[in-house]
Amino acid sequence: MPLSQRKNLVLCCLMTAMLPMLTWAGNDRPPRGERRRPPQAAFDACKGKTEGASITIATPHGSFKAICRNFEGALAAVPEGAPPPPQTNGNGPTPGR
């Protein structure tokens, strides 16, 4: 088998082997319309605070202002100016959103 054909065969095999990895890469996102759970640090930042309390969170990339909001029965820090959670009708997201 000539060298160029072997290169093409190897390239084809590598691309075929990588295809499942590409489909698995996006599976950590919640389904469309579902809220993503805040990181544990967001809950820790609001311990001992009341809903609506304004706080500042320091990160390695700088600090930002946040507000403590109720998330499934626990308070979590949400960055100021973040969009409101999707409205639901009790059976999931409101149609058309």
Side-chain angles (χ1 to χ4, degrees), residues 1 16-17 23 27 52 54-56 64 68 79 83 94:
M1 183 182 297
T16 302
T23 60
N27 288 344
S54 183
I55 60 172
T56 300
F64 63 93
C68 293
T94 301

Side-chain angles (χ1 to χ4, degrees), residues 7-91:
K7 284 183 181 180
N8 286 341
L9 180 62
V10 168
L11 181 61
C12 184
C13 289
L14 285 173
M15 289 175 55
T16 302
M18 291 176 62
L19 186 61
M21 287 185 240
L22 294 174
T23 60
W24 292 330
N27 288 344
D28 62 339
R29 293 184 178 164
R32 184 180 172 101
E34 283 190 29
R35 294 169 64 184
R36 195 180 334 194
R37 182 169 174 77
Q40 184 59 45
F43 292 100
D44 294 344
C46 287
K47 279 192 178 165
K49 306 279 194 265
T50 58
E51 186 169 4
S54 183
I55 60 172
T56 300
I57 297 180
T59 71
H61 303 288
S63 60
F64 63 93
K65 292 183 178 189
I67 297 173
C68 293
R69 306 252 177 185
N70 188 339
F71 185 86
E72 298 177 355
L75 293 179
V78 177
E80 280 187 357
Q87 294 185 354
T88 63
N89 60 9
N91 296 326

